[in-house]
Amino acid sequence: MATSAAQAGMIGALAARFRSCPVTGLQIDLAAERLIKANAIAAVVFLAIGGVFGLLVALTRWPAVHLLSSDMFYLVLTAHGLDVLLLWIIFFEIAVLYFASAILLNSRLAAPRLGWVAFALMLIGGLLTNVAVLQGDSSVMFTSYVPMQASPNFYLGLILFAVGALIGCCIFLGTLVIAKDEQTYEGSIPLVTFGALTACIIAFFTLASGAVILIPTWLWSLGYISHIDTVMYKLVWWGMGHSSQQINVSAHVAIWYLIAAVTVGAKPLSEKVSRGAFLMYILFLQLASAHHMLVEPGLSSEWKVFNTSYAMYLAVLGSMIHGMTVPGAIEAAQRKNGYVNGAFEWLRKAPWNNPAFAGMFLSLVLFGFLGGISGVVLGTEQINIMMHNTLYVPGHFHATVVTGTTLAFMAVTYLVLPLIFQREVAFPKLARIQPYLFAIGAGGISLFMMGAGTLGVSRRHWDITFSDATLAFDYPAAAFLMLGLNGLFAILATVGGALYVIIAVWTILFGRRVTAENALAALGPMPPRLQVHTAVAEYGSAGTWHLPGTYILISVFFVSFVLYYFVNWKYLSELWPMG
Amino acid sequence: MAEPTAAPTARERVPFMQRLLDNPFLLLFLGVTSPAVLYLLWGVMELSQIPIAR
Amino acid sequence: MAIQPPETRIWWNEPVARGELVWIVIAFLWGVIMFFMMIWWHLEGRQNLSTEVYRIAPDVFVSRTEAFTETYQVGEEGESGVPLVRPPPGSDVYLLGRLWEWWPVLELERGQTYRLHLSSADWQHGLSLQPVNINVQVHPGIEHVLTITPTTSGVFGIVCNEFCGAGHHQMTGRIRVVDAAAGG
């Protein structure tokens, strides 16, 4: 690769140094590799910090434990949101962007020095905001709704972080341009890279919205601006707050395809359909920022219905397509691998003891059933009246961001460690159970918070017994049970999360080096198959199409979706009439 | 583009949708414009038209 | 594979298998149904959020709520010191969210339709009426007029479900709904 680039006479390309990947044969730009490592490590550090905060939150919500004081609870809750929802996720996503561009396209990374500037900005910003929160005068929650005011450094940190991330996105786009110019690949970019591009595009809108609203808010906290409209703030803020979770969706769907490809040799059933589904994300997914504006005053029902439904649920269509094509591609590949009996031999004999595969499949199922269905129901204009700001909301987004995104990121880590860090995953037996522990824990958290929310329990609330309130009020007893169970499952999730952090850190520091001989084995157990490269010749042609298992899975999904959707309309019809 | 190299198929025109999906900057434009207009601009217009209480 | 470029140069023209097409059509139609479900509920359903909204200075809304309370106050809610207000059935009623209370306590008549004026004196609050489970965001400077018909009698709690600072978890209120005879 370096030779053809040199022929092109590119100075940057001359400077780039490569190594050859023993598994894929790809040329790996060492500068890109170092940046991927740095961003991934920063991500894991913030996951560890934010995870501890999360446990403290859950233990305080557990009525029998009620660990923290109210001030500390609100402080820790703010820090938890920031560290895991923003810092862990976006640092990891930047690593994914560099991986999906430079590595998968066999190219050098555009402007690696700028990559370090971006990294530094993100790190300084993240630390600045964390310090502001821990100092105690910025317990304003992740959303920081005006006119509640945090210290100026809270906003400044977020702005620096956003600028850094934006630079990272530009480097991704720059790398696409370089790879195309230097012809490091032929034809269209791989599907995984296309998914990363989708994430990158959504990130542009996200970070731009963040800048548009956080810069004036920062100036307001410094006293240069006297007033910020509260609804306007929310409208623009959620352009960042919700869209940033749409970056996650695009990134983790791309990772599903990636892991399925590496572990079982899965190939997209149809490039056209999968890319079309990503296009639906690019065009419409971000409209769902309106999910947070459904019971706000000042917006018309037309605006609410159109935006909350992603323009007639076209982005949901995209997700439902991925929800079929990912398991479908796995089934097709597994049938090629020789597991042809019955509807589910391909699934039973999937590499469940490979943490990358197990984490990916659990992420797929939990994201679809828990996160996807609850998200659409929660985002239905009228149904939102009985769910807005209840614990149902964090229940929903723990299903999407924790069991969906975080679990997918954990899963891909088990491939990144051998491929990029070139280390064998340490403690393989613990690694094997880690995704299951974390999935059960996080799934329980989501489910029980949604349960408590259905019973009306408020989110971001220190004392659901209202012991100090002038006018007492009691939530149903079942809600207390739900929050107790939430605490128990949070402990389980913490154990799973801690295992992940320990395995990752230990592997990086002390793991055995991967060599050409053990490189493939280091990726974990995989089904015996015709080699990765020769797996399948002609998907997309009708002849290869016999996927009964996938049809059964998506039928179960669809029936659950429809039933749960209409059950909630039934509940809604029992509310006091209002209009 | 692979067009100069892929001689036998080069003459077949790449369909419009594939050209769209292969163009990251056009997608970026669409992906930013769509929510900026439908969500932000439309929303800001409505919020700025809230009447004053009598 | 998904990590390599598509094998054919022109992949857009590849046929899509029937099973995949069927699923796409089902998913699309389901989206259309869910979309029209919201519109249909606006026409036929009885639980829709009012869009009657005005900008109002917070102190003006506070004084209107105080005047309303003075006019229709019938006592105090238990020993809390919070005024208990019984407005005429079917009238305009005011409810104020402020750090950290919902004020005053309203006594409404079952089956009557009220125009509930809602706003905040200071920060954002979340009106969460329990156990009916109606949740509406409340902003300072914006008056939201909900048309609401209590159909069950009893004592209902109002919780604040938008974080509003140190006393957020103490911010409660109450609505009493009485049957017409008892309320007379």
Side-chain angles (χ1 to χ4, degrees), chain A residues 354-378:
Chain A
N354 183 329
F357 179 86
M360 180 272 292
F361 210 88
L362 290 168
S363 161
L364 170 70
V365 171
L366 291 170
F367 178 80
F369 277 85
L370 287 184
I373 294 179
S374 69
V376 170
V377 170
L378 180 58

Side-chain angles (χ1 to χ4, degrees), chain A residues 70 74 139 141 145-148 186 188-192 229-231 234 258 261 267-268 270-273 275 294-299 301 305 309 312-313 317 320 324-325 376 380-382 385-389 454 456 458 460-462 466 468-473 475 532 537 540 545 551 554 558 561 565 569 572-573 575-579, chain C residues 1-7 11-12 14-17 19-20 23-24 26-28 30-32 34-39 41-42 46-51 53 55 77 80 105 122-124 128-130 132-137 139-140 142 144 146-152 156-157 159-166 168-170 172-174 177:
Chain A
S70 66
Y74 294 130
S139 300
M141 300 294 133
Y145 289 151
V146 297
M148 191 184 294
E186 278 194 19
S188 306
I189 53 175
L191 181 62
V192 171
D229 186 273
T230 56
V231 198
K234 264 186 110 162
L258 175 101
K267 228 179 91 128
S270 154
E271 294 280 354
K272 170 158 76 172
V273 170
R275 283 170 206 245
L294 295 177
V295 296
E296 303 299 312
L299 294 158
S301 301
V305 168
S309 70
M312 274 198 8
Y313 291 102
L317 173 65
M320 286 173 78
M324 184 223 166
T325 58
V376 170
T380 303
E381 191 206 359
Q382 293 94 340
I385 296 172
M386 44 176 203
M387 292 175 171
H388 173 76
N389 268 1
T454 306
S458 161
R460 298 171 166 177
H461 204 281
W462 176 67
F466 302 98
D468 298 338
T470 331
L471 298 169
F473 170 73
Y475 282 120
V532 171
W545 262 85
Y551 294 149
I554 57 173
F558 188 68
F561 193 169
Y565 180 75
W569 280 107
L572 181 74
S573 71
L575 253 57
W576 290 358
M578 51 196 288
Chain C
M1 293 211 305
I3 54 173
Q4 288 154 353
E7 280 152 14
W11 41 265
W12 184 262
E14 281 174 12
V16 177
E20 209 168 4
W23 177 242
I24 293 171
I26 291 175
F28 175 75
W30 174 232
V32 173
M34 292 194 295
F35 180 74
F36 282 102
M37 193 65 202
M38 289 190 284
I39 295 172
W41 201 263
H42 272 286
R46 302 212 296 160
Q47 288 80 13
N48 289 293
L49 193 66
S50 143
T51 48
V53 172
R55 290 203 182 271
E77 174 68 15
S80 64
V105 173
D122 32 59
W123 290 355
Q124 287 188 43
S128 177
L129 186 68
Q130 298 295 339
V132 246
N133 213 355
I134 290 173
N135 305 278
V136 181
Q137 190 81 16
H139 287 258
I142 291 192
H144 195 172
L146 310 179
T147 311
I148 192 161
T149 314
T151 46
T152 38
F156 298 89
V159 176
C160 177
N161 70 5
E162 184 54 75
F163 175 67
C164 57
H168 166 54
H169 47 272
Q170 300 162 10
T172 53
R174 202 169 275 175
V177 180

Side-chain angles (χ1 to χ4, degrees), chain C residues 35-93:
Chain C
F35 180 74
F36 282 102
M37 193 65 202
M38 289 190 284
I39 295 172
W40 179 71
W41 201 263
H42 272 286
L43 302 173
E44 297 292 328
R46 302 212 296 160
Q47 288 80 13
N48 289 293
L49 193 66
S50 143
T51 48
E52 187 180 345
V53 172
Y54 306 99
R55 290 203 182 271
I56 190 167
D59 54 333
V60 175
F61 188 84
V62 171
S63 56
R64 284 186 190 180
T65 311
E66 281 166 355
F68 158 79
T69 305
E70 217 165 280
T71 314
Y72 299 116
Q73 179 166 359
V74 292
E76 285 184 356
E77 174 68 15
E79 283 162 20
S80 64
V82 184
L84 175 65
V85 176
R86 189 188 298 152
S91 63
D92 280 52
V93 300

Side-chain angles (χ1 to χ4, degrees), chain A residues 291-332:
Chain A
H291 286 181
H292 300 268
M293 309 298 290
L294 295 177
V295 296
E296 303 299 312
L299 294 158
S300 68
S301 301
E302 290 83 355
W303 183 91
K304 287 176 181 174
V305 168
F306 180 83
N307 279 291
T308 199
S309 70
Y310 323 76
M312 274 198 8
Y313 291 102
L314 289 175
V316 172
L317 173 65
S319 283
M320 286 173 78
I321 291 173
H322 290 308
M324 184 223 166
T325 58
V326 174
I330 294 170
E331 177 168 8

